[in-house]
Amino acid sequence: MQIKSPLMALFMIAACSSSNNPAVDSGGGSGGNTDGTVTATGSIGGIDLGGLDNATAAVVQAKGTGLDIFLSTTGADCAALTAGDVAGATYFQLFLTTVDGSDDGSAPTGSGTFNADTSSAGPNYVEADVEQLGSDCSQVTDRSFATGTVTLTALSGGVATGSFDLANGSDHSTGTFTTISCDGIATRDSGSAAPACH
């Protein structure tokens, strides 16, 4: 999976599996590697998002333009996802940004509600994309939610908690997340080459 650039160029994030003690992980997979938690219901474009339950979740602040929250069905830890994409995975990416009067985006610094409908009054917006990978990590399906919200209830030290209620036509998904930071993902996706597939 390559970085998406919903509003501007950004680093991206990925995920690590389930505990209630969030912490930062450099992607090395040892010492201090704790997990995030996710619950989810619903689907989009035929992709069942219920598989995100007890999936991995992590967050890293994007470079000045927003906050990227990346939810994954892989069950892999931060080190595995730092190493590359996981074949057959479903990735759910939430890009949160606060837009000022000059239409410049910045990463949120605290709690807030972010709207998927970009025609709505700002300043907080979210771009919510779901991507399904094939056995060779190529993109099989890519869908976006057009309406609804993501609520960020807490953000501190790269750790985020919140919930989502998103829709696109008859497709609808709700859920919650508690994330950890996985710094290695930003390094992995800062290059021009596609991530390795494993």
Side-chain angles (χ1 to χ4, degrees), residues 98-109:
T98 299
V99 179
D100 64 19
S102 301
D103 289 334
D104 293 324
S106 62
T109 57

Side-chain angles (χ1 to χ4, degrees), residues 42-125:
S43 64
I44 183 169
I47 303 172
D48 179 13
L49 297 179
L52 289 169
D53 281 5
N54 299 315
T56 61
V59 61
V60 68
Q61 190 156 325
K63 196 174 183 180
T65 63
L67 188 74
D68 220 355
I69 296 173
F70 187 65
L71 313 177
S72 165
T73 60
T74 62
D77 64 11
C78 185
L81 287 166
T82 297
D85 284 329
V86 178
T90 297
Y91 295 139
F92 190 1
Q93 183 181 4
L94 305 171
F95 179 74
L96 311 179
T97 189
T98 299
V99 179
D100 64 19
S102 301
D103 289 334
D104 293 324
S106 62
T109 57
S111 60
T113 299
F114 297 79
N115 203 314
D117 181 358
T118 56
S119 66
S120 66
N124 296 331
Y125 297 100

